[in-house]
Amino acid sequence: MTPNRPASNLAALTLGAIGIVYGDIGTSPLYALKEVFANGHVPLTPGNIYGVLSLVFWTLTVIVSIKYVVLILRADNNGEGGLIAMLALASQAVRDRPPLRRRLLLVGIFGTAIFFGDGVITPAISVLSAVEGLKVAAPGLHAWIVPVTLVVLTALFMFQRHGTERVGRLFGPVMAVWFVVLAALGIWHIGDNPAILKALSPHYAIAFMLGHPSIAFIALGSVVLCVTGAEALYADMGHFGKRPIRLAWFGMAMPALVLNYFGQGAMLLVYPDKVGNPFYEMAPTWALYPLIGLATFATVIASQALITAAFSVTKQAIQLGYLPRLRIAHTSEHETGQIYLPFVNWGLFAGIVIAVVLFGSSNKLAAAYGITVTIDMLITTTMTFFVVRYAWKYPWSLVVLATGFFFLVDFAFLAANIVKVFDGGWFPLLIGALMFTLMMTWKQGRKLMAERLRSEAIDLPSFLESVFISPPTRVAGTAVFLVSDQGLTPNAMLHNLKHNKVLHERNLFVTVRHHEVPWIAKDKRCDVEPLGNDCWQVTLHFGFKNEPDVPAALERMRAAGCVVDDMDTSYFLSRDIVIPTLGGGMADWREKLFAGMHRNAAAAADFLRLPTNRVVELGSKVEI
C-alpha cells in the first residue's frame, strides 16, 4: 500500500459524507431562519436577530458538534450507528434488568416508528422550500410551486428502483458546491455588516431568552430546524466511519452553515422587508435561477438520503421481528446496503404527496417538521444514558451530568414544538402512531402465534426416535425444514410424511436467528447438532444488517460431514394461515390486522434467498 492511499481514501470518504450525511442539515438554511420570523410571533428587531442567530450557532454547536459528533459517534455497535443500533446497545447493556429492557425496547421502537414521519416530512419541506425560490424570481409563478414540487418528487421516487449507485457519485461534489455557495452568499452579506459576528457570543442567546422568555420559547420551535438531519451523522457511521464524518462537519458543513445563517441575519438588519424568503433574497438577481436549480438538486439529495435510510431501517426492523417480510430488491452488485423496497417506496411517496397538497407551503410544513426531529433526539439521548452508564461503566454522577444536560436541551426544543401539534405537528405523529401500532401488533402477533404452535408441536428428538423404529422409505437428496422453534417438529415434515410417506437421505432442521447486533461473522454463522440417522439440528445466526442467505450459510455444514448439494436439496416451509379468534391474545381488531399483515407478507423463500424452483410449501391453520 502506498503512503498516499490512506489519505486518498479519507478524502473520498469525507467527500461522500458531505453528500450523504449532510444533505438534510445542509438544506436547512432554505427555511430555518425564515420560519423564526415569518409568522410574526418573533418581532424582527435587531436585538431579536442577534439573539436568534446566537441561538442558531449554539444549537449547532451543542447538539451537532458536541452531542452527536463528539459523544454519540463513540457509541458504535460494531462500527454501525443509527437508532436501531443504539437500541441494540442499550438493550444489551441492561439485559440483566428485564423490565427496564422491555421499556427501552418500547421507547426505541417508538422512535423508529416516528422516523417514518420524518421520512415523509423531510422530502416534502426540502423540495418545496427549494422550488419556492420561483416566487422570489418571478412572483407570477407562485401557482406552479406545488405542481413543480410534485413533478420533482415523482421523478425521484420513480428512479428508486434503478438504485443510486451511479448518481450517488454526484452527491458529494454537488453538495460540496452547495456548501461553497452557502458560504459565499453568507460572506458577501457579512462583509456589508461584519458587526453581526458579535452574535457568536452566547451572551446574546442568554439575553434573548431571559429578556423575552415567551418569544424565545416560540423561536426555539423554529430554531431547531437548523439541526434537522443531525441523526444522519450517527446513522451513516457504518458507511463512512467517524473521522470522515467529523472532518466533513468541522471542515466544511458547519462553517458554511454558520456563515450563511449569519449572512441572512446581516441582510435582515439592513433589509427587514426581505424576511419572506431571506435565503433567496441573499442572491443577486442574475443568480436566482441557477441557485433555484442547485437548491432543488441539493434537496433531492437530502430526500434521497432519507429514502435510503427508510429502506435500511425497514429491513432492520423486519429482521428484528417488528415488521412482516417485504420484497427487497438489491440494486447494486457491489454494495449490500443498496436496496429497494417497493412497498416502502410508494408508501412514502403517497404520504409525501398528501403532505405537499395538504400543507401547500414550507411555512405550514415547518410546524409539522420539528416535533418528530425533537422526539428522536430525546430518545437518542435517553438511550445514550444507558449505554454510557451500563455498557461503558462511567460513574453515575458524570453520566447524569453529561446526558442530563443534553436531555434538558432536547426537552426544551420538544416542548417548544409540542405547542405546534394542532398547527400540523399531528401529521407526522399520526404516521408514527400508525407505524408503532403496526410494529407492536406484528411483534405481539408473532409471539402469540409461536406460543400456539409450540403448544401443539411435538418434541423433535422424541418424534425422530419413534420414526426410526420403523423408518419409512428413504429417498436420495437433502431435505431442509425451516422451523421457527429449535427442537420442535416442523409441520412441513409431518405433512410430508403423512402425504408422501417418504424421508430424505439427509434431513436438516434449520432455525434462523436474528440478533441485536449489526453483523455476525461467517465463521460464527452456523451451529450444528447431530441428531443421528443423517439428521441435523442447524441454527443460523444473522445480525440485523446481514443478508439472510440460507443456502450460502448451509455451506458451512461441510465441516460437520454433511454436504448440501444445491441441485439435490429441497426446502420445506410451513405456510401458516392465521385465524383470529375472540377472547385472549390481542384485541379483535389487532388480531385481524395481524392476520392481514401475515397474509400479505412476502414469501419466506424470497427473504431467505431460497432457490424458488426447489421450495415446497405446505399450509396449516393457526388460531390466535
Side-chain angles (χ1 to χ4, degrees):
M1 181 180 290
T2 62
N4 294 327
R5 181 64 180 273
S8 64
N9 284 346
L10 180 61
L13 287 170
T14 303
L15 183 62
I18 290 170
I20 302 297
V21 176
Y22 298 111
D24 189 3
I25 198 170
T27 54
S28 296
L30 284 164
Y31 48 81
L33 206 59
K34 176 180 72 172
E35 294 309 318
V36 176
F37 297 107
N39 53 26
H41 295 311
V42 181
L44 189 63
T45 65
N48 288 351
I49 291 173
Y50 276 92
V52 167
L53 285 178
S54 187
L55 273 177
V56 167
F57 173 74
W58 287 102
T59 298
L60 287 170
T61 301
V62 171
I63 291 183
V64 183
S65 298
I66 300 176
K67 175 185 167 182
Y68 280 96
V69 176
V70 175
L71 175 62
I72 290 182
L73 280 186
R74 293 184 60 205
D76 65 293
N77 191 335
N78 294 322
E80 294 295 331
L83 190 54
I84 286 184
M86 177 71 84
L87 172 61
L89 277 176
S91 65
Q92 289 170 24
V94 297
R95 59 183 176 272
D96 56 339
R97 297 172 171 83
L100 176 58
R101 184 175 182 273
R102 284 194 295 270
R103 287 193 289 271
L104 277 181
L105 285 169
L106 201 65
V107 171
I109 294 303
F110 178 71
T112 303
I114 284 292
F115 167 81
F116 288 96
D118 192 19
V120 167
I121 297 295
T122 296
I125 192 174
S126 298
V127 178
L128 253 179
S129 59
V131 177
E132 281 173 349
L134 292 172
K135 186 167 58 176
V136 177
L141 296 176
H142 175 76
W144 286 92
I145 290 174
V146 169
V148 170
T149 298
L150 292 176
V151 168
V152 171
L153 289 168
T154 301
L156 173 63
F157 278 88
M158 289 183 69
F159 184 79
Q160 295 305 309
R161 63 189 179 91
H162 299 293
T164 59
E165 186 176 18
R166 293 180 182 176
V167 73
R169 296 170 188 164
L170 295 173
F171 287 3
V174 169
M175 288 307 298
V177 171
W178 171 253
F179 281 118
V180 169
V181 169
L182 288 183
L185 289 172
I187 291 170
W188 181 31
H189 287 279
I190 290 171
D192 294 335
N193 196 350
I196 197 68
L197 293 176
K198 290 189 296 183
L200 291 171
S201 169
H203 160 76
Y204 289 93
I206 295 169
F208 176 60
M209 297 184 73
L210 294 179
H212 312 281
S214 58
I215 293 175
F217 182 73
I218 294 171
L220 282 179
S222 298
V223 167
V224 75
L225 297 176
C226 74
V227 293
T228 55
E231 285 282 340
L233 282 168
Y234 184 44
D236 288 319
M237 179 168 57
H239 294 119
F240 300 100
K242 301 173 188 177
R243 193 178 177 199
I245 289 175
R246 286 169 173 158
L247 283 174
W249 174 248
F250 289 114
M252 175 166 275
M254 185 179 180
L257 289 169
V258 170
L259 286 170
N260 193 267
Y261 284 123
F262 276 64
Q264 291 185 43
M267 182 191 68
L268 290 176
L269 284 174
V270 182
Y271 304 104
D273 57 310
K274 294 185 177 183
V275 71
N277 200 324
F279 176 80
Y280 281 114
E281 294 286 3
M282 294 174 76
T285 305
W286 60 265
L288 264 177
Y289 285 107
L291 184 59
I292 292 169
L294 179 61
T296 303
F297 205 163
T299 55
V300 164
I301 291 172
S303 303
Q304 179 62 62
L306 261 291
I307 296 167
T308 303
F311 292 162
S312 178
V313 166
T314 303
K315 180 190 168 198
Q316 293 173 21
I318 290 170
Q319 294 188 197
L320 287 176
Y322 284 95
L323 283 174
R325 294 181 302 270
L326 298 173
R327 187 169 73 84
I328 299 176
H330 291 262
T331 59
S332 170
E333 296 180 359
H334 310 292
E335 296 291 336
T336 58
Q338 294 274 347
I339 56 176
Y340 169 63
L341 284 78
F343 183 82
V344 176
N345 186 69
W346 295 114
L348 279 178
F349 177 71
I352 290 167
V353 169
I354 292 171
V356 171
V357 174
L358 182 65
F359 292 93
S361 71
S362 62
N363 299 67
K364 294 178 180 177
L365 268 171
Y369 197 14
I371 194 162
T372 55
V373 174
T374 50
I375 288 174
D376 270 348
M377 289 196 307
L378 194 65
I379 290 174
T380 299
T381 300
T382 303
M383 296 292 173
T384 304
F385 169 83
F386 291 98
V387 172
V388 176
R389 175 70 185 103
Y390 294 106
W392 298 352
K393 308 295 184 183
Y394 275 71
W396 179 268
S397 56
L398 179 62
V399 176
V400 170
L401 185 65
T403 58
F405 171 71
F406 294 123
F407 186 91
L408 291 175
V409 171
D410 292 339
F411 186 79
F413 280 114
L414 175 60
N417 277 277
I418 287 292
V419 300
K420 300 192 293 184
V421 167
F422 295 106
D423 293 329
W426 59 268
F427 185 71
L429 287 178
L430 177 62
I431 295 172
L434 289 173
M435 285 302 304
F436 183 71
T437 301
L438 290 175
M439 295 171 81
M440 296 312 297
T441 297
W442 180 256
K443 186 72 172 179
Q444 181 66 11
R446 290 288 296 171
K447 180 182 177 183
L448 292 172
M449 188 173 165
E451 289 173 353
R452 173 52 65 94
L453 289 172
R454 200 178 298 117
S455 68
E456 298 175 349
I458 304 170
D459 177 66
L460 180 60
S462 302
F463 178 76
L464 291 177
E465 185 179 347
S466 64
V467 166
F468 287 112
I469 292 174
S470 178
T473 303
R474 312 273 309 246
V475 296
T478 301
V480 176
F481 295 96
L482 275 297
V483 56
S484 57
D485 276 321
Q486 189 175 17
L488 300 182
T489 306
N491 284 334
M493 183 182 193
L494 296 175
H495 286 300
N496 188 46
L497 284 171
K498 178 180 178 181
H499 296 291
N500 298 324
K501 298 179 175 58
V502 295
L503 196 64
H504 281 72
E505 181 183 2
R506 289 176 298 276
N507 295 275
L508 276 59
F509 303 93
V510 177
T511 301
V512 176
R513 298 281 185 222
H514 293 285
H515 298 271
E516 294 177 359
V517 293
W519 305 103
I520 290 180
K522 289 183 178 180
D523 60 347
K524 299 179 180 177
R525 186 70 49 84
C526 183
D527 290 337
V528 182
E529 179 187 349
L531 301 175
N533 297 294
D534 285 326
C535 296
W536 287 268
Q537 176 74 62
V538 183
T539 306
L540 302 180
H541 303 278
F542 297 97
F544 58 76
K545 297 205 74 167
N546 285 127
E547 292 296 330
D549 189 331
V550 169
L554 288 179
E555 291 180 4
R556 314 289 302 184
M557 289 291 296
R558 293 177 184 272
C562 177
V563 179
V564 180
D565 183 356
D566 287 343
M567 299 305 295
D568 200 26
T569 300
S570 298
Y571 296 86
F572 291 85
L573 288 81
S574 296
R575 184 72 172 183
D576 301 313
I577 301 171
V578 177
I579 309 296
T581 57
L582 291 174
M586 298 183 289
D588 188 43
W589 66 270
R590 289 186 69 195
E591 289 190 357
K592 291 179 179 178
L593 174 61
F594 173 73
M597 294 170 71
H598 191 274
R599 183 170 57 251
N600 291 290
D606 295 333
F607 187 74
L608 299 175
R609 301 285 191 91
L610 305 182
T612 53
N613 61 340
R614 308 206 65 82
V615 172
V616 180
E617 285 194 332
L618 299 169
S620 62
K621 293 183 178 181
V622 181
E623 292 185 355
I624 61 170

